[in-house]
mmCIF file of all heavy atoms in Angstrom:
data_model
loop_
_atom_site.group_PDB
_atom_site.id
_atom_site.type_symbol
_atom_site.label_atom_id
_atom_site.label_comp_id
_atom_site.label_asym_id
_atom_site.label_seq_id
_atom_site.Cartn_x
_atom_site.Cartn_y
_atom_site.Cartn_z
ATOM 1 N N LEU I 1299 55.396 73.777 65.670
ATOM 2 C CA LEU I 1299 54.233 73.074 66.234
ATOM 3 C C LEU I 1299 54.444 71.567 66.261
ATOM 4 O O LEU I 1299 54.068 70.897 67.228
ATOM 5 C CB LEU I 1299 52.973 73.411 65.442
ATOM 6 C CG LEU I 1299 52.359 74.771 65.690
ATOM 7 C CD1 LEU I 1299 51.265 75.061 64.666
ATOM 8 C CD2 LEU I 1299 51.805 74.853 67.103
ATOM 9 N N LEU I 1300 55.034 71.037 65.208
ATOM 10 C CA LEU I 1300 55.312 69.594 65.160
ATOM 11 C C LEU I 1300 56.247 69.186 66.297
ATOM 12 O O LEU I 1300 56.042 68.157 66.950
ATOM 13 C CB LEU I 1300 55.910 69.199 63.821
ATOM 14 C CG LEU I 1300 54.956 69.164 62.638
ATOM 15 C CD1 LEU I 1300 55.721 68.958 61.331
ATOM 16 C CD2 LEU I 1300 53.917 68.072 62.816
ATOM 17 N N HIS I 1301 57.251 69.997 66.542
ATOM 18 C CA HIS I 1301 58.199 69.658 67.604
ATOM 19 C C HIS I 1301 57.596 69.878 68.985
ATOM 20 O O HIS I 1301 57.860 69.085 69.904
ATOM 21 C CB HIS I 1301 59.505 70.433 67.410
ATOM 22 C CG HIS I 1301 60.294 69.880 66.277
ATOM 23 N ND1 HIS I 1301 61.260 68.924 66.434
ATOM 24 C CD2 HIS I 1301 60.223 70.116 64.951
ATOM 25 C CE1 HIS I 1301 61.756 68.593 65.264
ATOM 26 N NE2 HIS I 1301 61.132 69.310 64.341
ATOM 27 N N GLY I 1303 54.461 69.451 69.631
ATOM 28 C CA GLY I 1303 53.588 68.281 69.770
ATOM 29 C C GLY I 1303 54.351 67.024 70.136
ATOM 30 O O GLY I 1303 53.890 66.215 70.944
ATOM 31 N N ALA I 1304 55.543 66.868 69.560
ATOM 32 C CA ALA I 1304 56.358 65.689 69.870
ATOM 33 C C ALA I 1304 56.818 65.705 71.324
ATOM 34 O O ALA I 1304 56.767 64.675 72.018
ATOM 35 C CB ALA I 1304 57.558 65.618 68.931
ATOM 36 N N VAL I 1339 64.538 55.091 66.415
ATOM 37 C CA VAL I 1339 64.009 54.979 65.054
ATOM 38 C C VAL I 1339 62.808 55.914 64.870
ATOM 39 O O VAL I 1339 62.716 56.631 63.873
ATOM 40 C CB VAL I 1339 63.639 53.510 64.724
ATOM 41 C CG1 VAL I 1339 62.837 53.414 63.438
ATOM 42 C CG2 VAL I 1339 64.892 52.657 64.647
ATOM 43 N N MET I 1340 61.905 55.911 65.842
ATOM 44 C CA MET I 1340 60.728 56.780 65.742
ATOM 45 C C MET I 1340 61.124 58.258 65.758
ATOM 46 O O MET I 1340 60.584 59.056 64.990
ATOM 47 C CB MET I 1340 59.747 56.481 66.875
ATOM 48 C CG MET I 1340 59.039 55.158 66.716
ATOM 49 S SD MET I 1340 57.977 54.755 68.110
ATOM 50 C CE MET I 1340 56.761 56.068 68.021
ATOM 51 N N THR I 1341 62.066 58.618 66.617
ATOM 52 C CA THR I 1341 62.515 60.012 66.689
ATOM 53 C C THR I 1341 63.147 60.437 65.376
ATOM 54 O O THR I 1341 62.863 61.527 64.860
ATOM 55 C CB THR I 1341 63.518 60.197 67.849
ATOM 56 O OG1 THR I 1341 62.869 59.840 69.067
ATOM 57 C CG2 THR I 1341 64.020 61.632 67.931
ATOM 58 N N PHE I 1342 64.005 59.584 64.819
ATOM 59 C CA PHE I 1342 64.656 59.904 63.547
ATOM 60 C C PHE I 1342 63.620 60.131 62.448
ATOM 61 O O PHE I 1342 63.685 61.118 61.708
ATOM 62 C CB PHE I 1342 65.620 58.789 63.137
ATOM 63 C CG PHE I 1342 66.176 58.995 61.756
ATOM 64 C CD1 PHE I 1342 67.217 59.878 61.540
ATOM 65 C CD2 PHE I 1342 65.627 58.327 60.665
ATOM 66 C CE1 PHE I 1342 67.718 60.089 60.258
ATOM 67 C CE2 PHE I 1342 66.123 58.532 59.387
ATOM 68 C CZ PHE I 1342 67.166 59.415 59.185
ATOM 69 N N HIS I 1343 62.671 59.218 62.332
ATOM 70 C CA HIS I 1343 61.677 59.334 61.265
ATOM 71 C C HIS I 1343 60.753 60.541 61.469
ATOM 72 O O HIS I 1343 60.376 61.209 60.497
ATOM 73 C CB HIS I 1343 60.873 58.036 61.134
ATOM 74 C CG HIS I 1343 61.650 56.969 60.436
ATOM 75 N ND1 HIS I 1343 62.496 56.127 61.100
ATOM 76 C CD2 HIS I 1343 61.737 56.646 59.130
ATOM 77 C CE1 HIS I 1343 63.063 55.310 60.233
ATOM 78 N NE2 HIS I 1343 62.622 55.607 59.030
ATOM 79 N N TYR I 1344 60.390 60.810 62.702
ATOM 80 C CA TYR I 1344 59.548 61.980 62.968
ATOM 81 C C TYR I 1344 60.300 63.258 62.603
ATOM 82 O O TYR I 1344 59.748 64.151 61.966
ATOM 83 C CB TYR I 1344 59.124 62.010 64.440
ATOM 84 C CG TYR I 1344 58.096 63.072 64.735
ATOM 85 C CD1 TYR I 1344 56.748 62.834 64.508
ATOM 86 C CD2 TYR I 1344 58.468 64.319 65.204
ATOM 87 C CE1 TYR I 1344 55.795 63.811 64.764
ATOM 88 C CE2 TYR I 1344 57.529 65.298 65.460
ATOM 89 C CZ TYR I 1344 56.196 65.042 65.239
ATOM 90 O OH TYR I 1344 55.266 66.009 65.474
ATOM 91 N N PHE I 1345 61.561 63.334 63.014
ATOM 92 C CA PHE I 1345 62.356 64.517 62.687
ATOM 93 C C PHE I 1345 62.533 64.650 61.175
ATOM 94 O O PHE I 1345 62.390 65.745 60.619
ATOM 95 C CB PHE I 1345 63.715 64.474 63.381
ATOM 96 C CG PHE I 1345 64.566 65.665 63.069
ATOM 97 C CD1 PHE I 1345 64.267 66.905 63.602
ATOM 98 C CD2 PHE I 1345 65.655 65.548 62.229
ATOM 99 C CE1 PHE I 1345 65.038 68.020 63.302
ATOM 100 C CE2 PHE I 1345 66.432 66.654 61.923
ATOM 101 C CZ PHE I 1345 66.128 67.887 62.465
ATOM 102 N N ALA I 1346 62.817 63.536 60.503
ATOM 103 C CA ALA I 1346 62.971 63.572 59.046
ATOM 104 C C ALA I 1346 61.683 64.054 58.385
ATOM 105 O O ALA I 1346 61.711 64.865 57.450
ATOM 106 C CB ALA I 1346 63.371 62.194 58.515
ATOM 107 N N PHE I 1347 60.542 63.584 58.870
ATOM 108 C CA PHE I 1347 59.252 64.042 58.351
ATOM 109 C C PHE I 1347 59.092 65.546 58.560
ATOM 110 O O PHE I 1347 58.663 66.273 57.667
ATOM 111 C CB PHE I 1347 58.109 63.282 59.034
ATOM 112 C CG PHE I 1347 56.757 63.847 58.733
ATOM 113 C CD1 PHE I 1347 56.141 63.593 57.516
ATOM 114 C CD2 PHE I 1347 56.108 64.645 59.658
ATOM 115 C CE1 PHE I 1347 54.889 64.129 57.231
ATOM 116 C CE2 PHE I 1347 54.862 65.183 59.383
ATOM 117 C CZ PHE I 1347 54.250 64.929 58.163
ATOM 118 N N SER I 1348 59.468 66.029 59.741
ATOM 119 C CA SER I 1348 59.288 67.457 60.041
ATOM 120 C C SER I 1348 60.168 68.337 59.157
ATOM 121 O O SER I 1348 59.847 69.507 58.933
ATOM 122 C CB SER I 1348 59.569 67.742 61.517
ATOM 123 O OG SER I 1348 60.963 67.697 61.790
ATOM 124 N N LEU I 1349 61.253 67.790 58.640
ATOM 125 C CA LEU I 1349 62.133 68.571 57.774
ATOM 126 C C LEU I 1349 61.459 68.970 56.462
ATOM 127 O O LEU I 1349 61.919 69.905 55.805
ATOM 128 C CB LEU I 1349 63.430 67.810 57.496
ATOM 129 C CG LEU I 1349 64.402 67.740 58.667
ATOM 130 C CD1 LEU I 1349 65.611 66.899 58.291
ATOM 131 C CD2 LEU I 1349 64.820 69.122 59.143
#
Side-chain angles (χ1 to χ4, degrees):
L1299 284 170
L1300 286 172
H1301 286 267
V1339 169
M1340 288 176 64
T1341 300
F1342 173 80
H1343 283 87
Y1344 188 83
F1345 180 72
F1347 170 78
S1348 74
L1349 287 177

